[in-house]
Amino acid sequence: MGLVLVMVGLPARGKTYTARKMVRYLSWKGMKTKVFNVGNFRRSMSGAQVPHEFFDPHNESGMNARKQAAKAALEELCSWMDTGGDVAIYDATNSTQKRRTWVVERLQEKGFECAFLENLCFDKSIVEANIAQTKLGSPDYAGIRTQQAIDDFRKRIAHYESVYEPIEDTKLRWIKIIDAGRQIIVNRCDSYLLSKIATFVMNLNIRPKTLWFSRHGQSQFNTEERVGGDSPLSVNGEVYIESLARFFEDKPIEQVWTSTLKRTIQTASMLPLKKRHWKKLDEINAGVCDGFTYDEIQEKYPDIAASRRADKLGYRYPQGESYEDVIERLEPVIFEIERNEGDLLVVAHQAILRALYAYFANRPREDCPYLSIPLHTVIQLQSQTYGCVEMRFALPPQID
Ligand code: F6P
């Protein structure tokens, strides 16, 4: 049965941020997930630039227009779920009990499970940061002077505050995220998926940070195009680790994570940073093919080569792993990176970095086995409220 997550919260409380992160996480795990944002429906039905009076609960025509937008979004969500969606996220303020009852009744009619995610902020500085970081850039205020936009938006929030009712009904399933994760309260999360969702939000940290990825320097196995193994670096690889140390000399990173394999540990050895070696970051296990070249796999195990070509994401090497297995294994690493405060460098392997990169750069899961993560290239991902900005740095020596 499909699940619908219904966002609840005043404007500028981080609902859209939470919803988008959730889509990224659940899609990365292989679930068909989509956000339905009522604001987008309202913008296309009533225009983007409506004054705060539009949101006044005493303004009947505004209330009607908002209800129509809410209805259109909910119906589109239901149709999408009918096509086989796993999780839909209904992103709106849903700020009164009456509105939530209406949503629940419609979802019950359709036979979908429903849970609420409520963002509450008592810390005013979080609200102010949200207004500055996201709302002023929204189409609602395009071309409007900053102070005028802020004043209007504060009045809009006040309209919602005048009718806001936090969720209290303990018969419903809900997760309350208070002050951007300072406190999480969970009620009736009675399924595996909901417990995963609750754990994920517990690990979210909205502070912006920079994440760096690098594959290990070229290894001896790389020079022979052999997969897996635990070979040390080649001569080129040893030069790369000097380049890497120079590159990070002036970057404010605090720690580096590597796998437990020689080539990543050696690659990080010249970095004067706190180190953590994770088995979960070890390269995809190629099972019976470990230590072979791709040509040898083709020759000795043509069936394996063909099956992997046909479904590289799902195909599991005999006695080894598939990309899907790797994604599953990396979930705790994702949680730890999300929790981590401060900038971080991860030195790992091709398949591992493909899976991590797919999550952070928001790439479709199916693309994961083919993403380009070249040797001797540092990838920088700077988190922004709704995504990240990427830069790549090719360091010497460059190899083909
Ligand atoms: O070739 C280097 C390597 O890290 C191997 O150890 C690993 O099996 C491979 O890349 C993963 O890439 P692909 O899934 O494209 O074979």
Side-chain angles (χ1 to χ4, degrees):
M1 195 196 300
L3 172 69
V4 179
L5 291 175
V6 180
M7 305 305 298
V8 177
L10 291 166
R13 264 53 183 182
K15 295 184 300 299
T16 299
Y17 170 82
T18 310
R20 292 198 190 182
K21 278 276 187 186
M22 195 60 73
V23 172
R24 199 190 305 176
Y25 166 64
L26 296 173
S27 312
W28 184 76
K29 281 174 70 66
M31 290 181 182
K32 218 176 141 201
T33 312
K34 191 166 172 184
V35 182
F36 294 83
N37 179 290
V38 174
N40 289 338
F41 282 78
R42 186 260 303 160
R43 277 182 278 275
S44 72
M45 294 162 77
S46 305
Q49 300 203 333
V50 285
H52 71 84
E53 289 86 356
F54 179 83
F55 300 93
D56 183 338
H58 304 294
N59 171 353
E60 211 175 307
S61 70
M63 286 294 278
N64 279 337
R66 285 165 54 203
K67 182 78 193 267
Q68 288 313 314
K71 208 168 166 185
L74 191 61
E75 287 313 308
E76 197 162 302
L77 178 152
C78 290
S79 307
W80 180 81
M81 286 296 282
D82 285 338
T83 66
D86 294 312
V87 182
I89 304 179
Y90 186 56
D91 183 12
T93 55
N94 296 311
S95 44
T96 62
Q97 276 187 46
K98 189 169 165 226
R99 172 59 59 91
R100 294 192 290 268
T101 304
W102 168 77
V103 173
V104 169
E105 282 173 2
R106 180 69 184 124
L107 296 178
Q108 270 171 354
E109 253 169 48
K110 295 289 299 179
F112 305 139
E113 292 275 2
C114 158
F116 293 92
L117 270 185
E118 182 177 21
N119 284 89
L120 287 161
C121 283
F122 300 109
D123 180 344
K124 292 283 171 264
S125 68
I126 298 176
V127 179
E128 291 306 313
N130 278 343
I131 293 176
Q133 282 161 20
T134 62
K135 296 298 163 189
L136 300 181
S138 117
D140 292 13
Y141 293 112
I144 294 181
R145 280 186 305 108
T146 307
Q147 198 49 50
Q148 194 186 339
I150 292 178
D151 290 347
D152 182 88
F153 193 67
R154 290 222 169 96
K155 286 180 187 146
R156 186 194 296 189
I157 295 177
H159 291 311
Y160 280 98
E161 266 168 342
S162 69
V163 291
Y164 190 73
E165 294 164 323
I167 302 187
E168 271 153 13
D169 186 346
T170 50
K171 288 192 292 310
L172 300 171
R173 300 180 181 83
W174 45 257
I175 301 170
K176 284 182 195 258
I177 306 166
I178 299 169
D179 286 340
R182 183 178 55 79
Q183 189 183 20
I184 308 284
I185 306 175
V186 172
N187 186 69
R188 274 202 63 202
C189 277
D190 50 8
S191 71
Y192 175 74
L193 178 57
L194 274 175
S195 73
K196 276 284 173 195
I197 288 170
T199 313
F200 180 68
V201 297
M202 276 179 210
N203 286 282
L204 282 183
N205 166 359
I206 53 166
R207 264 176 281 276
K209 58 193 164 200
T210 301
L211 189 56
W212 302 87
F213 290 150
S214 170
R215 281 175 72 183
H216 51 78
Q218 185 190 50
S219 68
Q220 288 182 7
F221 262 32
N222 288 143
T223 64
E224 297 162 29
E225 299 193 340
R226 290 188 187 283
V227 303
D230 191 13
S231 67
L233 297 186
S234 68
V235 174
N236 275 329
E238 285 176 5
V239 178
Y240 176 69
I241 72 177
E242 291 171 18
S243 304
L244 195 68
R246 263 196 307 279
F247 179 81
F248 280 106
E249 257 167 15
D250 58 349
K251 313 276 185 302
I253 52 171
E254 286 154 17
Q255 45 175 331
V256 52
W257 295 356
T258 74
S259 72
T260 61
L261 297 170
K262 279 188 204 116
R263 52 197 188 276
T264 61
I265 294 177
Q266 213 181 330
T267 302
S269 61
M270 293 184 70
L271 296 164
L273 301 170
K274 200 169 125 206
K275 300 197 175 90
R276 177 166 179 186
H277 309 298
W278 285 63
K279 184 127 189 64
K280 291 200 179 297
L281 288 173
D282 285 2
E283 182 53 308
I284 188 170
N285 181 348
V288 297
C289 296
D290 189 74
F292 286 27
T293 66
Y294 289 104
D295 287 347
E296 286 167 355
I297 298 174
Q298 178 62 44
E299 207 175 293
K300 296 205 172 100
Y301 298 116
D303 292 352
I304 293 183
S307 306
R308 195 160 193 263
R309 259 196 308 277
D311 176 17
K312 200 172 171 191
L313 179 67
Y315 180 76
R316 177 179 290 145
Y317 281 112
Q319 296 170 37
E321 290 176 301
S322 64
Y323 270 88
E324 282 177 345
D325 294 329
V326 165
I327 289 172
E328 193 70 33
R329 145 153 87 89
L330 286 172
E331 184 168 308
V333 178
I334 294 287
F335 281 22
E336 281 292 287
I337 296 177
E338 287 286 9
R339 289 169 73 82
N340 186 60
E341 302 211 354
D343 298 355
L344 167 72
L345 166 64
V346 179
V347 176
H349 307 266
Q350 174 155 253
I352 297 301
L353 290 178
R354 279 174 173 157
L356 293 178
Y357 176 86
Y359 172 82
F360 287 102
N362 203 12
R363 295 298 167 86
R365 177 177 155 102
E366 310 71 65
D367 293 356
C368 171
Y370 310 100
L371 294 171
S372 167
I373 311 284
L375 283 172
H376 298 192
T377 302
V378 173
I379 301 175
Q380 179 192 29
L381 294 173
Q382 262 175 306
S383 67
Q384 309 265 303
T385 316
Y386 297 147
C388 66
V389 175
E390 174 180 338
M391 300 250 274
R392 291 188 174 216
F393 304 88
L395 304 187
Q398 283 297 291
I399 42 183
D400 307 324

